[in-house]
Amino acid sequence: GRRRFAGPAGGSRSMTQRHVCLLLGALAAAACGGRGAAKVAPPAPAPTAAVTDSLWREAEARFNQGQWRKAQVLFDRLTVLVIPPDPRYYRMHFYLAEVLYAQRNHLQAVREFRRVADENPDGPLAADALVRAGDAYADLWRRAELDPTYGETARTVYTEAVSRYDATPAGGRARLRLAELAEKFARKEYKSGLFYFKYKAHDSAILVFRGLIANYPRAAVVPDALERLIRSYLFLGYQEDVKETCAYAAQYHPNANGPKKYCSAAPATAPTGAPGSGDAGRR
């Protein structure tokens, strides 16, 4: 019969397949340039101290020139290079916080300021950083009639700064900021009282004005609040409260053109502190 051809050297079909695979592998290697597997690039060398120092000088220069965006990019790069125990670590975060604050990223700035104040409370920048965190919160409360949540948080932070760093210049600044916030809170209360006074809700107005005078006795709006408090008492016929409040006004706000002008027909009694403990206080 007819003999069957078995392939070269008597090999089987599987032998032929292996030849094909070898040929395809050779072609693939040739397509890649004949150099075999791709080489892995060696890791980049770690930045040297000279590189870090150069970045630091440039970042400080941009900061001092008020180039906030460029300064932020550079300080962001430095955050992976300047780490403890490098003595520049907390100064870098303080700079970054100031840059964020300048760009009105207040809450991010607060995080950086708090890092400096809380992680290194005895450091040279801690007191200033804590006060600046309060400044960032206070700046978020832009108008007295708006939600005072950020203002209340600022007050808490300033109070903390006074408690922790009272004898430092930063503690003195915190006390000044607290006085400024008190004026703003007083204005907010005064506007609320005016709303009630305008619509003749005198009992509500009295409560607001009395609270304002008791809580913020040195605020600039107190004479006006006293005036409207007396007028509310007169409107409602609370004569004992009129007398008491007029006595308080005569002692602490004696200007003839101030609240005293509503007291000419009311006999005075000795003041006993913040006004309003008479007729209205018993209602």
Side-chain angles (χ1 to χ4, degrees):
R2 186 178 299 175
R3 298 178 62 183
R4 187 176 180 181
F5 181 69
S12 65
R13 178 175 298 182
S14 62
M15 192 71 175
T16 302
Q17 290 174 341
R18 283 197 297 273
H19 285 137
V20 171
C21 290
L22 289 171
L23 178 60
L24 290 174
L27 290 173
C32 293
R35 291 189 296 272
K39 295 182 180 180
V40 177
T48 64
V51 171
T52 301
D53 292 343
S54 177
L55 277 174
W56 181 269
R57 288 191 296 271
E58 185 179 356
E60 274 195 321
R62 300 295 187 184
F63 178 87
N64 291 330
Q65 294 163 8
Q67 299 180 15
W68 308 124
R69 290 186 182 278
K70 292 180 180 179
Q72 182 180 351
V73 169
L74 293 167
F75 282 122
D76 282 340
R77 291 176 61 188
L78 283 165
T79 56
V80 297
L81 303 176
V82 177
I83 58 176
D86 192 314
R88 296 172 294 187
Y89 177 74
Y90 290 110
R91 181 166 294 278
M92 173 189 65
H93 284 285
F94 188 88
Y95 279 143
L96 184 56
E98 290 287 5
V99 166
L100 291 166
Y101 190 0
Q103 297 178 94
R104 306 194 70 78
N105 296 322
H106 295 84
L107 296 180
Q108 293 181 48
V110 166
R111 284 193 287 271
E112 296 297 328
F113 284 130
R114 294 278 350 187
R115 181 201 296 266
V116 176
D118 297 339
E119 292 184 7
N120 191 29
D122 298 323
L125 294 171
D128 288 316
L130 190 56
V131 175
R132 293 297 283 157
D135 292 344
Y137 279 125
D139 198 44
L140 285 169
W141 187 32
R142 294 183 177 88
R143 295 169 57 190
E145 62 269 22
L146 299 178
D147 182 350
T149 299
Y150 286 125
E152 291 163 355
T153 305
R155 180 164 57 186
T156 299
V157 175
Y158 289 141
T159 302
E160 180 186 355
V162 170
S163 175
R164 288 169 58 177
Y165 305 107
D166 185 41
T168 67
R173 289 197 301 276
R175 285 192 296 274
L176 290 174
R177 301 289 196 276
L178 282 170
E180 292 168 1
L181 273 181
E183 287 287 343
K184 199 167 182 179
F185 278 111
R187 287 198 302 274
K188 178 177 179 61
E189 292 299 304
Y190 180 66
K191 289 183 177 182
S192 296
L194 279 182
F195 174 83
Y196 293 121
F197 184 85
K198 177 181 178 181
Y199 291 100
K200 296 184 173 17
H202 290 285
D203 280 318
S204 295
I206 286 169
L207 291 175
V208 174
F209 289 136
R210 282 168 50 188
L212 186 164
I213 295 163
N215 293 325
Y216 309 104
R218 296 180 178 84
V221 295
V222 165
D224 290 333
L226 274 170
E227 176 184 319
R228 282 159 179 79
L229 181 59
I230 293 168
R231 290 170 64 185
S232 293
Y233 286 147
L234 289 169
F235 182 87
L236 296 173
Y238 296 167
Q239 295 302 321
E240 289 299 319
D241 287 307
V242 171
K243 295 175 185 178
E244 181 183 337
T245 307
C246 285
Y248 181 91
Q251 180 169 345
Y252 296 106
H253 301 278
N255 189 332
N257 294 321
K260 279 185 60 178
K261 64 178 175 283
Y262 293 97
C263 298
S264 57
T269 60
T272 58
S277 59
D279 293 330
R282 290 191 293 272
R283 284 174 167 78

